[in-house]
C-alpha cells in the first residue's frame, strides 16, 4: 500500500496529465492497477515506481502508468437506447440534409462503442431503399494499448457476449483462431486515434454526432466544462451529443438543449 504523500502526488499527476480525479482513499486501486508494471520496469514496489515517476519519468513509463489507470470496462450497445435513437431518429434526419455523416466516439476503449455504432449503421442502411449516405466513425482514447486492440477488432469469448445479441454476433463477426473478428463491412467505417480529452480537439475536424459516454464522471467540474465546451466547438450546426446514463451537462455548459424522443433523450447543439 502507498502512503498518503505518494498518493496525493500521484493524484495530482493524473489530474494534470489527463483530468482524471481519483478522490480520497483510493490507495488500493492505485496499488492494484500499478502492481503489474513493477516487473516490467524493475521496481521493487509501487512507492519506488511512483518515486521514479515523480523524479524523472520516461515517456514509456508515463504512458504505461496512464494506460493502467485509465483502462475501463466496456460492452457492446451499452445502455441500449442511444443506439435506438441513432438508428430511428438521428441517422434518418441527418441523411435527409447531409452528404455524409461523421461520428466521434470519445473514450472508445477497445472499440466496442464505435463498432456498435457501425453495426447500427449497417442495419439502418439495409432498411433504406434509397441512396445511402456514407458514415465515418472516429474512436479516440488516451490509452494506446486499448486502441491497438480496437484496430485489430478481435474479441475473445468473454468480451464478445457482453451486450451483444446472438443474431448480431452471427451477422457481424467471423470466427478466427484468436476469437471473433469484426467483419470488414463494419470495420472499414471506423478508425482509431490517440487523444487526451484535456487537449485541443481542433485537429479532429467537425462532427455530426459525438458519443462521450461514461467519461465525464471521472473528471473535475472544471475539466467537465472544458470537455463539453470543446465538443460543442467540434459539432456541426444541429449536431448531437450522447452522454452516459448517469451524466448531465448540468451547470457545466449552456451550449446544448435536450431532445426527447420515443426511445429516450439526447443532447443537441443549440442553434
Amino acid at each position: 500500500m502507498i502512503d498518503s504523500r505518494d498518493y496525493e502526488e500521484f493524484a495530482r499527476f493524473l489530474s494534470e496529465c489527463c483530468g482524471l480525479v481519483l478522490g480520497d482513499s483510493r490507495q488500493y486501486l492505485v496499488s492494484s492497477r500499478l502492481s503489474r508494471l513493477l516487473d516490467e520496469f524493475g521496481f521493487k514496489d509501487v512507492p519506488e515506481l511512483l518515486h521514479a515517476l515523480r523524479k524523472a519519468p520516461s515517456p514509456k513509463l508515463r504512458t504505461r502508468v496512464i494506460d493502467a489507470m485509465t483502462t475501463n470496462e466496456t460492452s457492446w450497445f451499452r445502455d441500449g437506447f442511444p443506439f435506438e435513437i441513432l438508428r430511428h431518429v438521428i441517422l434518418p434526419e441527418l441523411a435527409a440534409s447531409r452528404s455524409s455523416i461523421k461520428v466521434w466516439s470519445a473514450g472508445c476503449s477497445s472499440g466496442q462503442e464505435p463498432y456498435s455504432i457501425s453495426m447500427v449503421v449497417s442495419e439502418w442502411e439495409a432498411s433504406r431503399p434509397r441512396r445511402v449516405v456514407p458514415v465515418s466513425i472516429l474512436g479516440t482514447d488516451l490509452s494506446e494499448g486499448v486502441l491497438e486492440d480496437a484496430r485489430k477488432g478481435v474479441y475473445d469469448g468473454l468480451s464478445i457476449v457482453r451486450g451483444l445479441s446472438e443474431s448480431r454476433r452471427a451477422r457481424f463477426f467471423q470466427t478466427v483462431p484468436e476469437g471473433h473478428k469484426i467483419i470488414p463491412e463494419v470495420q472499414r467505417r471506423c478508425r482509431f486515434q490517440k487523444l487526451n480529452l484535456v487537449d485541443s480537439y481542433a485537429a479532429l475536424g467537425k462532427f455530426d454526432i459525438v458519443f462521450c459516454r461514461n467519461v465525464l464522471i471521472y473528471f473535475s467540474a472544471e475539466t467537465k466544462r472544458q470537455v463539453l465546451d470543446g465538443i460543442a466547438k467540434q459539432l456541426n450546426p444541429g449536431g448531437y451529443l450522447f452522454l452516459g446514463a448517469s451524466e448531465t451537462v448540468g451547470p457545466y455548459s449552456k451550449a446544448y438543449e435536450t431532445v426527447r424522443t420515443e426511445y429516450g433523450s439526447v443532447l443537441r447543439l443549440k442553434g
Side-chain angles (χ1 to χ4, degrees):
M1 187 68 70
I2 63 176
D3 62 29
S4 58
R5 177 177 174 272
D6 278 336
Y7 178 76
E8 290 172 3
E9 290 201 19
F10 182 67
R12 281 196 294 273
F13 160 78
L14 273 188
S15 178
E16 291 168 2
C17 72
C18 57
L20 182 67
V21 177
L22 281 178
D24 298 328
S25 304
R26 306 295 297 277
Q27 285 93 332
Y28 176 79
L29 172 68
V30 173
S31 296
S32 62
R33 291 276 181 102
L34 298 184
S35 61
R36 71 195 72 175
L37 302 182
L38 299 182
D39 290 340
E40 180 179 342
F41 289 92
F43 298 114
K44 70 177 187 297
D45 53 28
V46 171
E48 185 177 319
L49 184 156
L50 297 179
H51 178 77
L53 190 67
R54 181 168 62 243
K55 293 300 182 183
S58 70
K60 182 180 179 182
L61 175 60
R62 177 187 171 97
T63 297
R64 294 288 287 111
V65 166
I66 293 172
D67 279 0
M69 294 305 303
T70 58
T71 300
N72 298 298
E73 290 293 321
T74 187
S75 62
W76 305 96
F77 297 92
R78 187 171 181 177
D79 297 327
F81 75 90
F83 302 96
E84 295 300 311
I85 297 173
L86 177 67
R87 176 176 177 177
H88 297 290
V89 179
I90 298 179
L91 287 175
E93 174 194 311
L94 296 182
S97 60
R98 309 191 186 193
S99 59
S100 64
I101 298 172
K102 291 184 64 179
V103 186
W104 174 20
S105 169
C108 70
S109 190
S110 48
Q112 281 90 332
E113 182 173 83
Y115 288 136
S116 294
I117 295 168
S118 188
M119 289 182 221
V120 167
V121 173
S122 287
E123 292 168 345
W124 169 69
E125 288 181 346
S127 69
R128 285 172 57 82
R130 300 185 299 278
R131 180 182 66 87
V132 170
V133 175
V135 179
S136 61
I137 303 161
L138 172 66
T140 67
D141 201 276
L142 183 61
S143 169
E144 186 59 51
V146 296
L147 289 173
E148 281 302 310
D149 291 338
R151 292 184 185 107
K152 293 174 185 174
V154 178
Y155 300 90
D156 61 24
L158 181 62
S159 60
I160 199 67
V161 298
R162 298 189 63 206
L164 193 66
S165 68
E166 188 173 332
S167 60
R168 279 174 168 157
R169 186 162 64 248
R171 177 178 176 184
F172 295 118
F173 291 82
Q174 54 192 11
T175 302
V176 295
E178 300 84 355
H180 307 268
K181 182 173 176 56
I182 293 281
I183 63 172
E185 174 194 338
V186 172
Q187 192 167 27
R188 66 170 176 254
R189 292 190 191 95
C190 303
R191 65 184 180 90
F192 297 92
Q193 177 179 329
K194 185 175 181 179
L195 179 76
N196 190 335
L197 283 174
V198 302
D199 294 337
S200 170
Y201 317 148
L204 298 181
K206 295 285 190 175
F207 296 91
D208 303 292
I209 307 164
V210 175
F211 282 68
C212 185
R213 305 172 63 232
N214 306 298
V215 176
L216 295 182
I217 54 176
Y218 300 105
F219 292 155
S220 67
E222 180 55 37
T223 303
K224 289 176 183 177
R225 281 190 284 271
Q226 177 184 336
V227 170
L228 287 167
D229 288 343
I231 290 173
K233 293 176 182 177
Q234 302 310 124
L235 276 172
N236 284 319
Y240 289 92
L241 169 63
F242 287 99
L243 297 181
S246 63
E247 296 172 323
T248 177
V249 291
Y252 307 116
S253 177
K254 299 184 181 301
Y256 307 91
E257 60 186 0
T258 300
V259 176
R260 292 176 173 81
T261 78
E262 63 178 292
Y263 305 98
S265 298
V266 61
L267 296 169
R268 182 169 58 197
L269 188 67
K270 287 181 179 178

